Amino acid sequence: MTAGRNSFILRGGRIHDPANGVDGAVRDLHVRNGRIVAAGAAGEDGSPRGPGDAPVIDASGMVVMAGGIDMHTHIGGSKANLARSLLPELHRDRSRLLDEDPFAASGQAACPICTPGALETGYRYAELGYTTAFEPAMMASNARHAHLEMGDIPILDHGAYVMLGNDDLLLRMLARRVDFERIRDYVGWTVHAAKAMGVKVVNPGGISAFKFNQRALDVDDRHVHYGITPRQLLQTLTRALTELGMPHPLHIHASNLGVPGNIASTLATIDAVEGLRAHLTHIQFHSYGTEGPRKFSSAALELAEAINARPNISLDVGQVVFGQTVTASGDTMSQVRNADLASPRKWIGADIECDAGCGIVPFRYREQSYVNALQWSIGLELFLLVRDPWRMALTTDHPNGGPFTSYPHLIRLLMDKAYRDEQLATLHPDVAATSRLREIGREYSLQEVAILTRAGPARLLGLKDRGQLGTGAAADIAVFRDQADREAMFRTPEYVFKDGVMVARRGRIVAEPVGGVHFVAPRYDRAIERYVADHADRYLTVAAADSVIGHDELCNCCRGGRLMLTALLRQDEAGSGAGGD
Ligand SMILES: [Zn+2]
Ligand SMILES: [Zn+2]
């Protein structure tokens, strides 16, 4: 059998494959037809080309990791498009902008990258060694568009979390004390209809409460119309996802995003899930205290201690990076609060069916702003104070904290204490002088970076054959030249492979295969369909039956990309902690 172009032997690289306990061992990787296979199976016998005709690629001295997985990045759906429409000036001729933009030279937060189009999203991720990305805020009523948009992104596999917890139907069911089993069925049906990979709750109940003129909704506050509390919503949704066996637990954007003192809401949120698995997203924006003269302080230590003590909780950070970006969120309540800070001064707020909301606010994070500098510090403190990297993912909440293209810079900050101190010294003097970062000596190892960016997210999402390089895994592989400057190293991998196809070589895209879509198919009682249909007929513009995306249609949405059904957890797995060593 002749080896295809997705078969090769990667020779002599230093393998960082934490899922399989391999920490820098020098080994050959054998790839056949897009999969990693046992030695010999790729068709090599010591000669440059083996009997199977698999070419040999020399990786000696290089660092080899699985393809990166971004578990929280806004790359699909109407918010991304609204952000692009709001900021046409960021899509000017890039070469000219690169000369003008002081951030571009350092590679961080280059202006045009904060609202990339679908093609650019795929190319830039692949160039950085990423091969999979998940959109965290897909509206059920808009799922088709989200899948179409992501289907246009070349190279990357993708998937999305569907939003629940501000939709009228769920709130109505809770208010009417409908049996939990029916609510669980509705959650299962929604995941099925939207072809989602998970469920995200954004400001539980708060987006809906905003429409009833509430301007804040803390964990135990009552929604003025439905009378329910965020705590009830969190309990109901975490229990529903646990019983449905969803591999990724409830993805929680907690109450009071960005508000000084919101650490109390975040700790109450952790408490509300009562020991069930839960994932706290862009946690940097939820780790604020009220100490000091400005009544705004870091609560990273308090949060890290809570996380360290609770193996059921995982998180992604949502690190802030300096420069121009645009914030795009379903959290209308918080975006209305932020609108005055828009830079440039324009923004969009929108309502979507009876499902949720949407706010787009352009923003420039500035080194000399006390608040922005402290946000930067808080994110890094969280990375460095949370002990278990398996429960944490590296994100900037692209584009909310900054664009994903800043990841190499962020990795260097985590790996290089001297560089971190240097950067800290350039920030607002009060932050530079008082940040806890000064005392934190921790530097991430390559192995820990591999967990944070690959192995960990794969485990948190239940992706068995991604984020690792064991026999049988997909050959999504990134090969880096080992360099002391970790930013340079992670900025331009030597080779990137997607399912065994070389897609990038030293920062140049060399092939653009079509990515696949990850989703789950929970079981639910189909009697719920009638109930959902009645609600949709009465109140919504799209009939419930029409909002269900079939497999053929999903495949079409993704330009023929592979449908990758992720296995549900067994009940004994679903109840346990988030995993981790
Ligand atoms: Zn969010
Ligand atoms: Zn987000």
Side-chain angles (χ1 to χ4, degrees), residues 72-74 136-137 200 251 253 281-282 316 328-329 397-398 400:
H72 188 113
T73 171
H74 297 273
K200 185 188 188 198
H251 199 88
H253 160 144
T281 190
H282 42 64
D316 62 81
S329 175
D397 190 14
H398 166 84
N400 292 316

